[in-house]
Amino acid sequence: MAWNERIHNALQTRRDQHLWRQRQTLASAQGTRVFCDGKEFINFCSNDYLGLASTGTDELSAAALRWGTGSGASHLVCGHSQAHHDLEQALADYTGYPRALLFSTGYMANVGVISALAQRGDLILQDKLNHASLLDGAQLSRARMLRYRHTDVGHLNELLSEREGHAGETLIVSDSIFSMDGDLADVATLADVSRQHQALLMIDDAHGLGIIGPQGQGARAHFGLSTADLPVYIGTLGKAFGGYGAFVAGSDDLIDYLIQFARSYIYTTAMPPALADAMQGNLQRMKDDSLRSRLQARILQFRQGAQDSGLPLMPSLSPIQPLLIGSSDKALQLSSRLREAGLWVSAIRPPTVPQNEARLRVTLSAAHTAADVDLLLSVLSDCWQTES
Ligand SMILES: *Cc1c(COP(=O)(O)O)cnc(C)c1O
């Protein structure tokens, strides 16, 4: 009975607080146009920033004919194929590291890497707005975790000085582009601070890979850092990459260490080799800088129009362009009015974002047209004026 009550009460609280989450079931492939509930929507909430999620179907079919559907086992048993191996090398080359190691998802990469590296007695310092998987990894590690104020290097330095002279190692962890705010951490300064304090720096570039840096090579290249400056690099294949999976890039020793000790690498089935094979095509397409120019044009267009209409923009130069609404209720109402107009923009509410910081998370893609963004701006501006 106690269990039933706990579950029931938690559900009721979620509903009462306008925090109920539900899934929308798509009837079409991912893209800027999606079908849902028999209606077509222009999609402004995908992380498919370059429009690559719907490409590569010929490569995937060919890869499936060669490799089948399943990998059959974990990498350390008999699930590691040449397709995985080649993709790891290609990802290492692309991001500029000696080696890379594939994980099934970014969530698992973050949990596995942090919990393998940090131990009881160590200190993990994380940006307040880091992704949930980074926080979960720290909990699993049993190290002490402190969170510094969002992108506040002064606060990070304070926490580090208090720590001076303690035993144990220090790991500094940050998103590059923050998933719900769209702003970019100053990774170059984080690298300086890490070096000064002999801390290890880990950057989760889930939203930066494919978006920043020449050819989309990500945060390390964007900031002109060496691999020693940024020794632990996380990239994911589910966002700009348009696929599924993730990887860690780093030194030979780091990768060997993770193969030995990262439990979310060891105790799980390898991703389907056909998928790994097909990701090579997306990697080649992703290097085309004209995709990023198109994306950049849409971002500027959106920001200019939103500013002209007095919409509550946040300081982001990335394809993540949230509008800060405040109350969860109001964010939901705006989201549903946009849906009635055939525009899909998700309302992001606590606990994904802090209390009273509910927002519409608009995401833009290189595959959006200027007309798509104009339509979004005009509907948003109408809704905003009548709501406030
Ligand atoms: C999406 C995301 C992840 C998780 O990656 P998945 O491959 O979707 O599991 C990790 N970190 C950040 C910052 C993300 O936005």
Side-chain angles (χ1 to χ4, degrees):
M1 257 336 265
W3 274 110
N4 288 344
E5 223 166 276
R6 183 195 292 187
I7 290 168
H8 179 81
N9 290 345
L11 292 175
Q12 195 54 47
T13 309
R14 271 277 150 113
R15 283 196 189 89
D16 293 347
Q17 295 175 336
H18 304 288
L19 297 180
W20 187 256
R21 296 158 180 233
Q22 66 193 68
R23 302 166 304 169
Q24 308 289 332
T25 309
L26 296 189
S28 63
Q30 190 57 232
T32 59
R33 299 293 187 284
V34 288
F35 274 93
C36 189
D37 297 331
K39 273 181 64 183
E40 192 186 53
F41 293 94
I42 307 180
N43 183 3
F44 287 103
C45 44
S46 168
N47 301 318
D48 179 23
Y49 305 124
L50 299 177
L52 297 181
S54 51
T55 65
T57 50
D58 288 347
E59 290 145 35
L60 184 58
S61 320
L65 289 175
R66 170 155 183 214
W67 295 104
T69 50
S71 66
S74 68
H75 285 277
L76 285 170
V77 176
C78 62
H80 187 67
S81 70
Q82 193 66 46
H84 297 112
H85 214 72
D86 292 347
L87 180 59
E88 288 180 341
Q89 194 51 56
L91 291 167
D93 292 345
Y94 181 49
T95 52
Y97 284 85
R99 277 174 76 188
L101 185 69
L102 280 174
F103 278 73
S104 298
T105 70
Y107 186 98
M108 290 168 74
N110 284 338
V111 162
V113 170
I114 296 179
S115 64
L117 286 171
Q119 303 169 1
R120 200 188 295 278
D122 291 339
L123 175 66
I124 303 174
L125 293 165
Q126 301 215 25
D127 188 287
K128 189 87 206 242
L129 297 188
N130 274 355
H131 191 263
S133 54
L134 297 167
L135 307 176
D136 293 357
Q139 289 220 312
L140 264 181
S141 76
R142 299 184 177 84
R144 177 148 179 256
M145 177 172 69
L146 295 173
R147 295 162 80 184
Y148 56 92
R149 288 189 292 271
H150 180 48
T151 63
D152 185 342
V153 177
H155 191 209
L156 171 61
N157 264 316
E158 257 172 59
L159 295 175
L160 279 163
S161 331
E162 282 170 27
R163 174 76 178 179
E164 230 40 81
H166 276 247
E169 303 295 336
T170 304
L171 178 66
I172 297 177
V173 186
S174 180
D175 285 19
S176 57
I177 292 174
F178 287 85
S179 50
M180 297 301 142
D181 289 53
D183 58 340
L184 174 64
D186 181 354
V187 179
T189 303
L190 291 177
D192 283 342
V193 170
S194 302
R195 194 178 322 102
Q196 280 158 25
H197 293 268
Q198 280 121 47
L200 186 68
L201 179 61
M202 167 173 171
I203 294 293
D204 176 356
D205 206 22
H207 297 278
L209 184 68
I211 303 301
I212 56 177
Q215 296 191 311
Q217 288 162 9
R220 190 195 62 76
H222 175 82
F223 286 98
L225 300 174
S226 69
T227 58
D229 292 330
L230 176 39
V232 187
Y233 177 92
I234 307 287
T236 66
L237 309 183
K239 288 166 180 156
F241 227 100
Y244 187 76
F247 67 95
V248 181
S251 68
D252 263 323
D253 270 2
L254 176 75
I255 300 305
D256 281 339
Y257 180 86
L258 294 172
I259 294 172
Q260 301 304 313
F261 298 112
R263 295 167 66 85
S264 66
Y265 180 78
I266 299 164
Y267 298 106
T268 200
T269 302
M271 77 160 63
L275 183 62
D277 189 337
M279 286 297 96
Q280 295 272 10
N282 282 26
L283 177 54
Q284 290 315 314
R285 283 183 280 277
M286 202 158 94
K287 293 177 182 170
D288 175 3
D289 279 327
S290 74
L291 289 173
R292 274 168 293 283
S293 319
R294 287 221 292 278
L295 177 60
Q296 203 53 41
R298 297 290 84 82
I299 295 169
L300 293 176
Q301 180 194 355
F302 179 79
R303 287 191 67 82
Q304 187 61 58
Q307 202 169 5
D308 293 345
S309 304
L311 294 168
L313 279 171
M314 292 177 69
S316 160
L317 302 173
S318 75
I320 303 166
Q321 288 294 328
L323 297 172
L324 190 58
I325 305 302
S327 96
S328 295
D329 192 17
K330 190 170 170 194
L332 278 182
Q333 279 171 24
L334 282 165
S335 172
S336 70
R337 285 189 59 189
L338 288 162
R339 261 182 95 84
E340 282 160 27
L343 302 170
W344 192 350
V345 180
S346 57
I348 307 281
R349 294 160 289 162
T352 305
V353 293
Q355 285 300 324
N356 304 314
E357 290 189 21
R359 63 200 65 181
L360 289 176
R361 182 175 179 269
V362 173
T363 56
L364 299 167
S365 160
H368 283 126
T369 63
D372 292 342
V373 175
D374 275 337
L375 181 63
L376 173 65
L377 284 165
S378 96
V379 176
L380 267 172
S381 159
D382 282 353
C383 294
W384 184 246
Q385 268 150 32
T386 52
E387 284 286 326
S388 50

